């Protein structure tokens, strides 16, 4: 192709969508590169080249286990958080029903689609019964309401650690205590957390934990499921003996090495990054709530991820706002999938009790390591004017 | 270009005209972004030919070729309500609607323009072949220089507010010049054929579309001559259009043409070519581009279909809000539902819907 001008924007462009994905840290990229060339061997091979691959894989597993404070045998590498969630839920649900006959699956209405839709499928295609724990106005599971649901019919509980859309942190520690007492396996989708919250199994005593590398400056296409050893799962995939047979197929060594390196860096940089983004986040929250009418903060004011601010605007359509902000040089998100023109309100916001007229106008701003104060200032300066322009826009008034 | 770049939204379709529009403005150094409408279609088997997934992919590719942001707006529901539904209802009432008219008025220069302005654009550029001329505070609408491609007809429904924000960069060019520019820029749409027919019909013809959508006007009825003599049976008034000769299914001593569709009686009136022509008809929903009617003695021409030739005429006030058009010579195919558009030389003055 001739005449390609790669010039994304005429002016500065700030990426405020770290809850969607993050750029790969250059140290992570450097750690991965040898496994595409010098050390390309298949970890299952006997020869030196194969051993190089196997060494990379087991070092990555050991490093990951050390950071997550669990045994290396509890680590299964997957293609990402969605696969980890599927394996945890489907594997556990079938195994538990086979062993004990229990068939109730408990979750919350603020889960990621990879949890929600997996549970729906288990219900509609396999006869499990799915129950949702109520959430409060902040999108947080109400532990007092959850407790009586934990009967001897429950096969598993799955609760998101920190919600992607509204940033609220769930009381997973409390929930895990209740589940442990009753011998119910607890899974948490902690995908949003590693860049900003502690995720190790000593801090979060869960049975299963899901992570995806691209949310913490690692590559896309690789994730982890932490689980008990030996794993109690029913096999979903069939093939070789890789990943203890849970995930047959030649391991993606380079991406796995990248995940481990990214996790290591996240823990090292977490405090510094969280401190910085908390200040920037609070500046945005203050500017929005003080400078704009008809807006509310969604999610918990304090019990939320330090890099995450989310709002709903009355009388405003999310994707129009996102497009206008994109043209002003800011990549933001609504936190939910809606279409410009025919918007659908976010199911999570509706579950939290927002009316449709508010739920249509959601905005998520998620900051990162590289977010500059100047970009935050520019954003705070420009957002009120953009919102005002969008709200008053009906130029020809004939549609 | 001199001065600060203007922020311009380009309505993109993946086709050659809108792609060249984006290319030209981008080359001139304007601050351009692309918008594409996702419009209603009659289902997966009949994709809207304005916006198939392949078209969206092509438009996106062209936008990235020029390094411009590109967004898709969903207008399915609005398009169904203001374009498709009136099309179906219009046929049931004996009209032959032109949905491109309502689309330009309410979707392209309504929904799309509103979104473009809200997103911070000062202008909306489209690939229409028409020209704009600013005179004092007024914007005049002129025919495109390529007589084969001129699209001022479908823009005759726009008002000053809409035109103040409009740009038609292709109006000064011929289609072959546009194709050359596309080829020079290696735009992947350079060799795509021009679009034909109504976008939302997909691959079906309008009659099967109407049948499929339970439109009225499809019940069989009588065919008569102008004096009421029974000549046979018709297959549903919506299947016929004024001036039509082929496909009526009856034969006379000389060729017969559709003269009139009497919806109240479900009767199709046919007659000879001499009986077909008429010199007077009335209009509703009249729009004057300038915001006011032309001076009483200004020489006017009228075009009664998109591709019809223009005929000299004058106007008089009719009943109520109607306006009556008097043609200097009769025309055989004046069709209720179509748009009559007025011109003074190159200038498009406006128009209204024919109601007879």
């Amino acid at each position: 192709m001739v005449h390609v001008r790669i010039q994304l924007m005429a002016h500065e462009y700030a990426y405020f969508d770290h809850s969607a994905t993050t750029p790969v840290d250059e140290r992570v990229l450097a750690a991965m590169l040898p496994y595409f060339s010098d050390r390309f061997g298949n970890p299952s091979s006997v020869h030196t080249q194969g051993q190089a691959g196997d060494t990379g894989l087991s070092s990555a597993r050991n490093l990951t286990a050390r950071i997550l404070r669990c045994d290396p045998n509890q680590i299964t590498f997957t293609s990402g958080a969605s696969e980890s969630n599927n394996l945890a839920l489907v594997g556990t649900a079938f195994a538990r029903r086979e062993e004990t006959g229990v068939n109730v699956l408990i979750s919350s209405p603020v889960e990621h689609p990879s949890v929600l839709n997996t549970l729906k499928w288990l219900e509609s295609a396999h006869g499990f019964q799915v129950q949702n724990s109520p959430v409060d106005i902040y999108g947080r599971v109400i532990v007092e309401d959850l407790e009586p649901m934990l009967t001897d019919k429950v096969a598993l509980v799955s609760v998101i650690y920190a919600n992607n859309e509204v940033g609220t942190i769930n009381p997973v520690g409390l929930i895990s205590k209740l589940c442990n007492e009753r011998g119910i396996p607890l899974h948490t989708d902690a995908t949003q957390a590693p860049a900003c919250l502690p995720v190790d199994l000593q801090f979060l005593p869960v049975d299963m934990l899901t992570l995806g590398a691209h949310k913490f400056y690692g590559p896309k296409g690789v994730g982890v499921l932490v689980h008990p050893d030996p794993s109690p799962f029913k096999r979903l995939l069939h093939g070789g003996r890789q990943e203890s047979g849970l995930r047959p197929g030649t391991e993606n060594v380079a991406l796995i090495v990248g995940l481990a390196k990214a996790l290591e860096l996240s823990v090292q940089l977490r405090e510094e990054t969280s401190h910085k983004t908390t200040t920037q986040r609070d500046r945005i929250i203050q500017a929005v709530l003080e400078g704009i009418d008809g807006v509310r903060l969604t999610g918990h004011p304090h019990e939320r991820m330090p890099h995450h601010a989310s709002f709903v605007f009355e009388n405003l359509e999310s994707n129009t706002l996102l497009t206008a902000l994109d043209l002003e040089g800011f990549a933001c998100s609504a936190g939910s999938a809606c279409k410009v023109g025919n918007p659908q309100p976010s199911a999570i916001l509706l579950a939290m009790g927002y009316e449709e007229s508010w739920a249509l106008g959601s905005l998520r701003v998620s900051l990162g390591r590289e977010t500059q104060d100047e970009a935050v200032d520019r954003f705070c300066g420009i957002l009120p004017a953009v919102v005002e322009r969008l709200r008053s826009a009906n130029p020809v008034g004939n549609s | 270009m001199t001065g600060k770049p203007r922020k311009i939204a380009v309505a993109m379709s993946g086709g050659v005209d809108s792609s060249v529009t984006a290319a030209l403005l981008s080359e001139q150094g304007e601050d351009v972004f692309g918008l594409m409408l996702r419009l209603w279609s009659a289902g997966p088997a009949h994709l809207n030919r304005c916006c198939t997934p392949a078209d969206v992919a092509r438009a996106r590719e062209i936008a990235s070729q020029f390094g411009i942001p590109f967004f898709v707006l969903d207008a399915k529901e609005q398009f169904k309500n203001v374009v498709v539904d009136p099309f179906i209802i219009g046929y049931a009432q004996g009209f032959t609607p032109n949905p491109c008219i309502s689309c330009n008025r309410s979707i392209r220069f309504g929904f799309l323009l509103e979104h473009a302005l809200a997103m911070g654009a000062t202008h909306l550029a489209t690939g229409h072949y028409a020209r704009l001329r600013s005179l004092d505070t007024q914007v005049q609408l002129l025919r495109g220089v390529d007589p084969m491609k001129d699209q001022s007809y479908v823009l005759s429904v726009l008002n000053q507010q809409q035109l103040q924000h409009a740009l038609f960069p292709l109006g000064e060019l011929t289609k072959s010049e546009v194709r050359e520019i596309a080829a020079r820029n290696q735009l992947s749409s350079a060799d795509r054929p021009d679009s034909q027919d109504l976008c939302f019909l997909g691959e079906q013809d309008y009659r099967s579309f109407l049948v499929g959508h339970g439109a009225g006007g499809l019940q069989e009825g009588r065919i008569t001559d102008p004096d009421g003599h029974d000549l046979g049976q018709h297959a549903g008034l919506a299947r016929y259009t004024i001036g039509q000769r082929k496909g009526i299914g009856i034969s006379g001593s000389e060729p017969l043409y559709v003269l009139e569709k009497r919806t109240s009686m479900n009767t199709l009136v046919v007659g000879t070519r001499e009986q077909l022509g008429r010199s007077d008809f009335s209009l509703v929903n009249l729009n004057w581009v300038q915001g006011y009617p032309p001076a009483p003695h200004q020489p006017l021409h009228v075009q009664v279909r998109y591709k019809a030739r223009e005929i000299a005429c004058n106007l008089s006030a009719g009943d109520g809000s109607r306006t009556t058009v008097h043609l200097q010579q009769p025309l055989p195919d004046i069709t209720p539902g179509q748009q009559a558009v007025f011109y003074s030389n190159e200038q498009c003055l406006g128009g209204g819907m024919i109601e007879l």
Side-chain angles (χ1 to χ4, degrees):
Chain A
M1 197 160 46
V2 199
H3 191 83
V4 177
R5 278 189 276 155
I6 303 293
Q7 166 228 338
L8 194 57
M9 293 285 152
H11 40 70
E12 274 180 273
Y13 194 70
Y15 184 77
F16 284 179
D17 199 12
H18 291 80
S19 285
T21 193
T22 55
V24 173
D25 187 290
E26 57 186 18
R27 291 161 286 190
V28 172
L29 182 61
M32 289 194 291
L33 284 177
Y35 293 92
F36 290 107
S37 49
D38 295 351
R39 302 180 209 164
F40 67 89
N42 185 330
S44 301
S45 300
V46 171
H47 46 64
T48 311
Q49 184 54 257
Q51 289 174 42
D54 190 40
T55 306
L57 178 62
S58 52
S59 307
R61 193 184 312 279
N62 291 336
L63 178 56
T64 304
R66 200 163 71 236
I67 296 167
L68 297 178
R69 295 209 274 173
C70 64
D71 190 272
N73 292 331
Q74 290 181 262
I75 301 283
T76 293
F77 293 112
T78 65
S79 67
S82 287
E83 186 191 327
S84 295
N85 286 340
N86 272 266
L87 176 57
L89 300 174
V90 179
T92 308
F94 283 127
R96 289 268 291 160
R97 185 165 69 179
E98 210 168 278
E99 285 161 26
T100 62
V102 294
N103 78 332
V104 173
L105 312 173
I106 294 186
S107 188
S108 84
V110 297
E111 300 297 315
H112 187 268
S114 58
V115 168
L116 280 177
N117 291 333
T118 302
L119 293 175
K120 263 189 207 164
W121 174 77
L122 284 169
E123 185 169 54
S124 61
H126 296 285
F128 287 91
Q129 191 196 336
V130 176
Q131 296 175 0
N132 269 339
S133 163
V135 293
D136 62 19
I137 182 76
Y138 304 124
R140 204 167 41 164
V141 168
I142 304 168
V143 178
E144 298 74 38
D145 290 346
L146 173 65
E147 189 169 359
M149 298 168 72
L150 301 174
T151 65
D152 58 4
K153 299 279 184 291
V154 176
L156 67 86
V157 175
S158 181
V159 169
I160 196 165
Y161 180 24
N163 178 264
N164 51 308
E165 199 171 316
V166 296
T168 297
I169 300 166
N170 265 313
V172 173
L174 281 177
I175 296 169
S176 115
K177 193 164 164 290
L178 296 176
C179 289
N180 277 341
E181 286 165 7
R182 291 160 178 80
I184 300 170
L186 172 64
H187 167 255
T188 189
D189 174 4
T191 306
Q192 289 289 326
C196 55
L197 299 173
V199 288
D200 66 77
L201 259 69
Q202 306 304 313
F203 182 82
L204 279 181
V206 295
D207 300 282
M208 290 162 282
L209 180 135
T210 288
L211 296 178
H214 76 105
K215 306 285 189 184
F216 50 93
Y217 304 86
K220 293 166 184 65
V222 62
V224 178
L225 178 65
V226 186
H227 52 75
D229 173 45
S231 96
F233 301 141
K234 191 92 181 154
R235 297 276 186 279
L236 305 185
L237 299 177
H238 305 277
R241 297 179 57 187
Q242 292 91 347
E243 300 298 290
S244 312
L246 276 183
R247 202 182 182 261
T250 302
E251 301 89 342
N252 196 336
V253 180
L255 296 194
I256 289 169
V257 167
L259 178 143
K261 182 69 185 172
L263 193 57
E264 183 185 33
L265 286 170
S266 288
V267 175
Q268 286 168 9
L269 299 171
R270 184 184 294 146
E271 204 176 306
E272 185 192 335
T273 307
S274 294
H275 182 73
K276 184 201 73 155
T277 56
T278 302
T279 313
Q280 293 174 333
R281 176 199 74 183
D282 289 346
R283 202 149 79 240
I284 290 173
I285 292 177
Q286 189 187 356
V288 169
L289 297 184
E290 288 177 4
I292 302 172
D293 291 332
V295 64
R296 295 180 201 158
L297 182 73
T298 54
H300 201 281
H302 313 298
E303 292 296 313
R304 68 183 304 128
M305 289 187 283
H307 72 297
H308 186 293
S310 56
F311 307 94
V312 283
F313 293 84
E314 192 182 29
N315 184 25
L316 197 61
E317 198 182 290
S318 286
N319 270 355
T320 315
L321 175 61
L322 298 182
T323 310
L325 285 173
D326 190 36
L327 291 168
E328 298 287 352
F330 297 98
C332 299
S333 145
S336 73
C338 41
K339 305 175 286 178
V340 186
N342 284 334
Q344 300 297 316
S346 141
I348 288 180
L349 293 175
L350 294 180
M352 286 162 58
Y354 285 92
E355 304 147 46
E356 188 168 320
S357 60
W358 285 83
L360 286 170
S362 56
L363 172 69
R364 179 181 74 185
V365 183
S366 47
L367 311 172
R369 283 181 200 157
E370 77 286 4
T371 303
Q372 304 281 324
D373 286 343
E374 295 72 45
V376 170
D377 289 342
R378 199 157 59 83
F379 183 76
C380 293
I382 211 163
L383 184 63
V386 171
V387 170
E388 173 64 29
R389 189 177 75 212
L390 293 172
R391 279 181 172 159
S392 59
N394 189 12
V396 283
N398 61 356
S399 66
Chain B
M1 194 195 68
T2 54
K4 195 170 175 287
R6 297 173 293 179
K7 194 161 201 144
I8 299 170
V10 177
M12 296 182 76
S13 69
V16 63
D17 293 335
S18 62
S19 300
V20 168
T21 303
L24 288 174
L25 293 170
S26 180
E27 275 173 359
Q28 287 163 18
E30 303 283 15
D31 184 3
V32 176
F33 64 99
L35 292 178
M36 184 158 177
L37 289 170
R38 189 161 278 147
L39 301 176
W40 181 90
S41 75
H46 302 287
L47 293 173
N48 189 309
R49 284 184 297 92
C50 280
C51 47
T52 64
D55 294 330
V56 175
R58 195 179 294 112
R60 200 182 290 282
E61 187 190 329
I62 286 160
S64 82
Q65 200 174 329
F66 288 91
I68 63 176
F70 174 80
F71 308 99
V72 177
L73 302 179
D74 191 292
K76 289 197 187 87
E77 200 179 309
Q78 291 83 350
F79 186 81
K80 176 73 162 49
N81 291 341
V82 305
V83 178
V84 180
D85 287 347
F87 175 81
I88 295 169
I89 294 165
Y91 264 104
Q93 295 173 340
F95 292 104
T96 305
N98 182 341
C100 300
I101 294 285
S102 45
C103 180
N104 276 296
R105 176 169 48 214
S106 303
I107 300 293
R108 285 177 204 288
F109 289 92
F111 179 88
L112 181 62
L113 176 58
E114 281 168 26
H115 276 82
L117 297 181
M119 287 167 185
T122 56
H123 293 84
L124 173 66
T126 69
H128 282 112
Y129 288 81
R131 287 171 295 157
L132 294 173
R133 179 166 66 195
S134 288
L135 214 63
D136 301 325
T137 58
Q138 291 272 305
V139 182
Q140 296 181 343
L141 177 64
L142 309 179
R143 285 191 191 272
V145 298
D146 185 338
M148 297 305 290
K149 290 301 298 178
D150 167 46
Q151 290 173 312
S152 56
Y153 177 89
V154 293
L155 300 171
S156 62
V157 286
L158 302 185
N159 60 34
Q160 285 292 303
Q161 272 175 296
Q162 291 163 314
L163 289 175
Q164 299 278 0
H165 297 293
L167 293 175
F168 305 127
L170 305 190
E172 304 285 350
L173 302 172
T174 63
K175 184 77 184 191
S176 58
E177 287 170 324
V178 167
R179 286 199 186 279
E180 273 169 38
I181 295 169
R184 199 165 65 227
N185 283 283
Q186 306 213 339
L187 295 176
S188 60
S189 53
D191 47 6
R192 235 171 55 135
D194 278 356
S195 53
Q196 303 285 336
D197 284 332
L198 306 176
C199 64
F200 58 87
L201 298 182
E203 301 304 319
Q204 36 182 356
D205 82 341
Y206 82 92
R207 292 176 181 88
S208 42
F209 173 83
L210 291 173
V211 171
H213 286 79
L218 295 166
Q219 308 87 336
E220 295 176 353
R222 302 314 304 166
I223 301 178
T224 69
D225 69 13
D227 302 322
H229 299 114
D230 197 289
L231 298 176
Q233 185 167 284
H234 70 72
L237 291 181
R239 295 174 191 273
Y240 305 88
T241 186
I242 307 294
Q244 176 180 339
R245 179 166 72 92
K246 290 179 182 152
I248 301 174
I250 52 167
S251 52
S253 53
E254 51 184 318
L256 293 172
Y257 296 81
V258 174
L259 301 184
E260 196 185 334
K261 301 198 272 184
R262 291 193 184 142
T263 45
S264 58
M265 326 268 287
N266 192 25
T267 299
L268 189 70
V269 183
V270 301
T272 61
R273 186 167 176 82
E274 290 70 45
Q275 291 169 312
L276 184 61
R278 54 189 305 153
S279 313
D280 300 302
F281 59 91
S282 65
L283 297 180
V284 292
N285 297 338
L286 202 59
N287 172 66
W288 295 113
V289 171
Q290 305 303 121
Y292 47 83
H297 300 296
Q298 182 173 352
L300 291 181
H301 288 80
V302 67
Q303 205 175 308
V304 296
R305 280 173 192 243
Y306 175 35
K307 291 288 183 189
R309 76 193 158 87
E310 55 174 45
I311 299 283
C313 69
N314 53 61
L315 304 178
S316 66
D319 306 337
S321 62
R322 287 158 173 264
T323 297
T324 304
V325 183
H326 309 280
L327 301 174
Q328 271 185 11
Q329 59 194 90
L331 280 174
D333 56 351
I334 293 164
T335 308
Q338 291 287 296
Q339 197 76 0
V341 176
F342 299 99
Y343 290 89
S344 171
N345 299 318
E346 287 297 275
Q347 189 184 355
C348 175
L349 300 172
M353 194 184 83
I354 298 169
E355 232 191 32
L356 297 187

